[in-house]
Amino acid sequence: MSLQAAKKTAEALMAKTVYRRTALYATDGEFMANVAGLFGFTTYQQKAVANEVANEEFYAAIHILNNPNPSVAQVDAIAQAALDAVTDEQRVAGCRKRLIEAGGRPAGLRAFDWGGRVRQAAYTGKDNIARLMAATVAADYGEIQIGARYYLLGLANTITILKMREKDNPAVYTPIIANARTRLLAQQKENGFFSVLASEGLEAGDLQDAAFIVQALLDLNEVEPLKKLINFLFAAQLPTGGYDHFGIEFAEAQSELMGSLANVYKKYGQQAMELLLEPMMDDFGKNPPPQNRYRLPKLNPDKVATPFI
């Protein structure tokens, strides 16, 4: 059923126009690149490449126009030769300008945004763009603060992106990965979930955070924290198969979580269940855990954060 749904999604994305100001998100392009391998259809891969080219031309237009949010007409008015003359460094700077000035994205959320873009660039053979985007993530890392929104999301995505590109600059990236690891693990609670309660009331544990934390722990080979988190997620799962995300079942976050869990299975294979799930699974048929034993934490603005040390 999931494969059929993925194919329908791919077909819907195929029908969307790609132009200089692309109509597809980076996550859409990443999906198209991956689905080529999943279904063996080269047309999806071609769509992903077209989307990557459109993104890069849009970033070039931002640089040329010095405008983080140009109109389609403004972009289309630029000669192709002028777009082609923009360097990869200038294109990536244009993307960053858009995220900050047009999108108002703080550093933690930018790390999330860069994640899909780095992967799409890598999947479509744009290694230099992926390299430069990872360097931007590393340069922005110091802005990810515990009192800010998207703290855990930013740490997790920074880890995953820099692990992908660690060979590019290990002298810089390896210490950042180690620092982000320490900061991330400090926020795992006894029940296995990761959450940080900031005094601003901006963070209270997020299913979307968990999706990317699973991937970061996998990238770090942190088996025990990963085991605890997956057990929490198993116990928190609703009868529908989804999760209560601040009172709703949030399709984007649940899709991201499924993707991360699929990568866990890819890495550990048939041993995944034995390695990651607790012994309670052995007699699951006789003593199943109560449904919804855990619910994802809800926002509690009255609680004051414990400052990160």
Side-chain angles (χ1 to χ4, degrees), residues 3-295:
L3 291 176
Q4 291 169 3
K7 189 172 186 295
K8 288 180 180 179
T9 298
E11 290 168 346
L13 291 175
M14 283 292 292
K16 293 185 72 174
T17 302
V18 173
Y19 44 90
R20 281 184 175 173
R21 185 181 180 188
T22 178
L24 301 182
Y25 293 101
T27 47
D28 294 337
E30 180 187 351
F31 176 80
M32 297 301 288
N34 274 328
V35 88
L38 186 63
F39 296 112
F41 297 146
T42 58
T43 50
Y44 294 147
Q45 178 69 28
Q46 292 164 0
K47 183 78 167 186
V49 172
N51 185 47
E52 175 62 24
V53 170
N55 277 328
E56 291 178 22
E57 291 192 343
F58 184 49
Y59 305 150
I62 290 171
H63 169 75
I64 292 169
L65 299 170
N66 193 29
N67 178 356
N69 193 28
S71 68
V72 174
Q74 288 174 313
V75 176
D76 286 345
I78 301 172
Q80 186 65 47
L83 291 169
D84 293 343
V86 177
T87 68
D88 285 347
E89 287 83 357
Q90 290 167 333
R91 293 173 198 273
V92 172
C95 181
R96 184 177 186 274
K97 181 181 182 72
R98 176 169 172 77
L99 292 174
I100 294 173
E101 296 183 22
R105 317 289 259 192
L109 186 53
R110 292 202 302 276
F112 162 74
D113 290 318
W114 288 116
R117 289 170 170 83
V118 170
R119 290 188 296 272
Q120 181 183 337
Y123 294 149
T124 54
K126 299 301 184 77
D127 187 74
N128 193 48
I129 290 286
R131 179 183 66 82
L132 291 167
M133 287 180 169
T136 303
V137 171
D140 284 350
Y141 177 68
E143 294 182 30
I144 299 175
Q145 301 299 323
I146 194 168
R149 203 171 183 186
Y150 308 109
Y151 176 67
L152 296 175
L153 195 69
L155 294 180
N157 279 280
T158 295
I159 289 168
T160 292
I161 292 166
L162 297 188
K163 286 295 286 185
M164 287 175 60
R165 307 296 311 189
E166 191 170 8
K167 65 183 186 299
D168 295 340
N169 194 350
V172 173
Y173 294 176
T174 302
I176 293 175
I177 292 167
N179 181 265
R181 171 192 173 278
T182 299
R183 295 169 74 180
L184 182 66
L185 292 178
Q187 301 305 326
Q188 187 169 32
K189 305 304 183 271
E190 278 300 311
N191 64 9
F193 198 59
F194 285 74
S195 62
V196 52
L197 291 171
S199 57
E200 295 88 348
L202 294 173
E203 287 280 359
D206 193 315
L207 178 62
Q208 192 168 31
D209 290 343
F212 293 97
I213 292 170
V214 166
Q215 185 61 53
L217 295 175
L218 186 63
D219 296 332
L220 292 167
N221 294 313
E222 289 286 351
V223 174
E224 287 305 312
L226 181 59
K227 175 180 176 179
K228 290 177 64 178
L229 176 56
I230 289 178
N231 273 300
F232 175 91
L233 292 168
F234 171 77
Q237 196 170 25
L238 299 173
T240 58
Y243 292 87
D244 178 359
H245 178 83
F246 300 127
I248 61 171
E249 291 191 58
F250 182 27
E252 178 185 346
Q254 295 183 58
S255 298
E256 290 160 349
L257 180 58
M258 282 192 289
S260 295
L261 292 174
N263 287 337
V264 173
Y265 186 79
K266 282 182 192 176
K267 181 167 183 174
Y268 293 112
Q270 296 296 333
Q271 287 73 45
M273 294 291 283
E274 298 169 15
L275 178 66
L276 295 170
L277 293 180
E278 294 174 346
M280 70 175 185
M281 287 299 293
D282 294 339
D283 63 348
F284 178 69
K286 294 180 291 183
N287 300 296
Q291 280 289 351
N292 311 328
R293 186 175 64 184
Y294 301 121
R295 284 300 188 104

